[in-house]
Amino acid sequence: PIKLQIYSLDVSAELLRTQGFVNGRWVSAASTFPVLDPATGKELVKVSDFGPREARDAVIAAHKAFDSWKCQTAKERSILLRKWFDLVTQHKEDLAKLITAECGKPMRESLGEIAYSASFLEWFSEEARRVYGDIVAPTAKDRKILLLKQPVGVASIITPWNFPSAMITRKVGAALAVGCTVVVKPAEDTPLSALALAELATQAGIPAGVFNVVPCSREKASAVGEVLCTDPLVAKISFTGSTATGKILLKHAAETVKRVSMELGGHAPFIIFDSADVDKAVAGVMASKFRNSGQTCVCSNRFLVQQGIHDLFLEKLGRAMDTELRLGHGSDPTTTQGPLINTRAAEKVEHQIADAVAQGAVVLKGGKRLEGSFMQPTLLSNVTTDMLCMHEETFGPLVPVIK
């Protein structure tokens, strides 16, 4: 069993927010939903559960704020984003604690995410001043073609739970830099990081209505998502998440022909040839597969190893997994592998392993689900292309190797 002490959420009160954030004000909803520690299953806090009406209010607030925000100079917006970057950096420990609490990732990775998260604000604060137009050679003598870049309007930002801070700043930093306003819908598992960012945005002086956050439960997510994708006041949608949800949002967006950016599911291969340096290949697999317990959009999913190097690779990878990986609560400094985000996520990995074993795969390491949503890092050999893990994204610590 994993030793799990209960860690209290020791974060400054100003950053631990449980209400939604609309038009520069903290707003309660009629009901709340619990945010759980994925390592223990215990409730951390209850957060306001916004519905379609509050989502619409946030869109209206963002639309009103757009009139003045788009008229600010690039330099003014740049300065505010820079202040926001400075505040995120200043509060990095507390922000990292929030990520570890709600998402489960080890503290070292959470601190890494906050640095990554802040870097987007820094980058776009500098890019804000460099939104240049163009003059194009015309087809006729009496014409001039001038290209001007203008903000499109309100952007709906719908983000996943695996990078609850960085997925927001990457989208919002770009939107705010060019003069758009935003409504953020964080994932139901991880709203606390988004709300803490709203507090720091306010402290940085970002005006009311420019940055809004609408937290909601799993039950209300599709209704809130529908408002954010169909409301005629919304001009742009940015979504990172599953392909299935992406298809629904694209359908919603089509009705009012909104601009969309979609970053959807992946199925990345990791390919190792006989000519490879095995130690480097193993180090690459460890970094690429086990970050955030296998829960990133760019985690390798299928491992294709040429037969001349296959057995040696398995042996060395197995040894590295034994020595380098340690399961535990993310707040424990020795932990490298936190829990999966929830029990549904663990069940999915468990199902992929069972399917592979039923079709003849061999479990060389791990293979078991532990308490709650903890999954043992698992190494499978004798894998074939018919198995489920070869066809659907895993999002967990599973390494299926095909010779």
Side-chain angles (χ1 to χ4, degrees):
I2 304 160
K3 284 203 192 79
L4 286 178
Q5 69 185 84
I6 302 293
Y7 289 87
S8 62
L9 188 46
D10 171 28
V11 172
S12 75
E14 64 169 8
L15 291 181
L16 183 56
R17 295 289 180 168
T18 57
Q19 297 166 290
F21 190 69
V22 175
N23 204 22
R25 289 197 304 277
W26 294 103
V27 181
S28 293
S31 59
T32 59
F33 67 100
V35 178
L36 308 179
D37 176 345
T40 60
K42 298 271 188 296
E43 184 179 303
L44 294 164
V45 288
K46 285 185 163 59
V47 170
S48 293
D49 192 3
F50 276 23
R53 188 176 60 79
E54 290 92 348
R56 171 80 185 155
D57 291 345
V59 169
I60 292 167
H63 189 254
K64 281 190 181 139
F66 177 62
D67 286 342
S68 53
W69 182 245
K70 70 180 178 188
C71 296
Q72 290 215 7
T73 65
K75 184 180 177 184
E76 287 167 332
R77 291 196 297 262
S78 168
I79 288 166
L80 292 175
L81 281 170
R82 179 73 204 195
K83 281 186 185 157
W84 195 12
F85 159 76
D86 289 336
L87 285 165
V88 168
T89 306
Q90 197 180 312
H91 293 279
K92 61 178 187 274
E93 272 85 15
D94 275 355
L95 294 171
K97 283 178 191 169
L98 286 174
I99 292 176
T100 291
E102 64 183 349
C103 162
K105 67 173 66 170
M107 193 64 186
R108 197 176 73 222
E109 285 192 34
S110 295
L111 283 163
E113 178 178 340
I114 293 302
Y116 181 50
S117 181
S119 75
F120 291 120
L121 298 177
E122 180 184 39
W123 176 266
F124 288 115
S125 75
E126 293 165 1
E127 286 297 292
R129 303 171 186 234
R130 290 193 273 272
V131 181
Y132 303 132
D134 226 336
I135 297 175
V136 179
T139 52
K141 284 192 181 106
D142 59 344
R143 308 275 160 85
K144 261 190 186 155
I145 299 175
L146 309 175
L147 297 184
L148 304 174
K149 302 265 178 80
Q150 295 182 319
V152 292
V154 177
S156 292
I157 309 287
I158 302 173
T159 56
W161 48 262
N162 60 340
F163 287 87
S165 182
M167 287 292 104
I168 292 174
T169 57
R170 183 165 84 172
K171 299 170 188 296
V172 172
L176 266 51
V178 295
C180 293
T181 55
V182 299
V183 178
V184 176
K185 189 201 93 56
E188 65 270 11
D189 292 296
T190 56
L192 302 179
S193 292
L195 297 168
L197 284 170
E199 168 60 32
L200 294 178
T202 306
Q203 288 183 24
I206 289 169
V210 171
F211 182 79
N212 304 275
V213 182
V214 293
C216 67
S217 61
R218 190 174 161 80
E219 292 69 39
K220 291 190 182 166
S222 63
V224 167
E226 186 169 343
V227 168
L228 297 183
C229 294
T230 57
D231 194 302
L233 298 182
V234 172
K236 158 92 197 180
I237 300 158
S238 178
F239 171 70
T240 298
S242 73
T243 308
T245 303
K247 287 176 178 175
I248 295 166
L249 301 186
L250 279 166
K251 276 184 187 155
H252 286 327
E255 201 56 47
T256 42
V257 199
K258 298 193 192 309
R259 296 161 173 82
V260 290
S261 299
M262 298 273 153
E263 183 198 5
L264 307 179
H267 194 46
F270 196 116
I271 304 167
I272 305 167
F273 294 105
D274 286 346
S275 56
D277 175 325
V278 182
D279 294 325
K280 278 188 180 159
V282 166
V285 169
M286 294 299 288
S288 160
K289 179 76 245 188
F290 295 110
R291 178 176 168 215
N292 197 16
S293 302
Q295 302 175 107
T296 86
C297 327
V298 293
C299 273
S300 303
N301 215 52
R302 339 169 245 159
F303 297 78
L304 315 176
V305 185
Q306 204 170 356
Q307 59 188 16
I309 207 173
H310 175 269
D311 295 355
L312 178 62
F313 167 77
L314 285 180
E315 182 195 323
K316 288 196 166 189
L317 179 60
R319 271 211 301 272
M321 287 169 68
D322 283 342
T323 53
E324 292 175 35
L325 302 180
R326 186 179 178 282
L327 284 161
H329 196 291
S331 299
D332 179 336
T334 61
T335 294
T336 68
Q337 301 290 285
L340 298 193
I341 187 67
N342 51 37
T343 51
R344 290 189 311 279
E347 281 157 14
K348 180 183 179 183
V349 181
E350 212 179 5
H351 178 56
Q352 283 194 0
I353 294 169
D355 166 81
V357 169
Q359 296 187 60
V362 177
V363 177
L364 297 181
K365 290 282 166 206
K368 291 192 181 63
R369 177 170 164 198
L370 306 173
E371 52 258 52
S373 61
F374 278 94
M375 223 35 243
Q376 283 182 332
T378 300
L379 178 58
L380 296 180
S381 67
N382 220 28
V383 173
T384 64
T385 52
D386 308 329
M387 295 170 184
L388 201 55
C389 56
M390 287 290 124
H391 295 276
E392 65 173 33
E393 188 174 17
T394 301
F395 243 62
L398 172 61
V399 181
V401 178
I402 285 195
K403 189 193 282 193

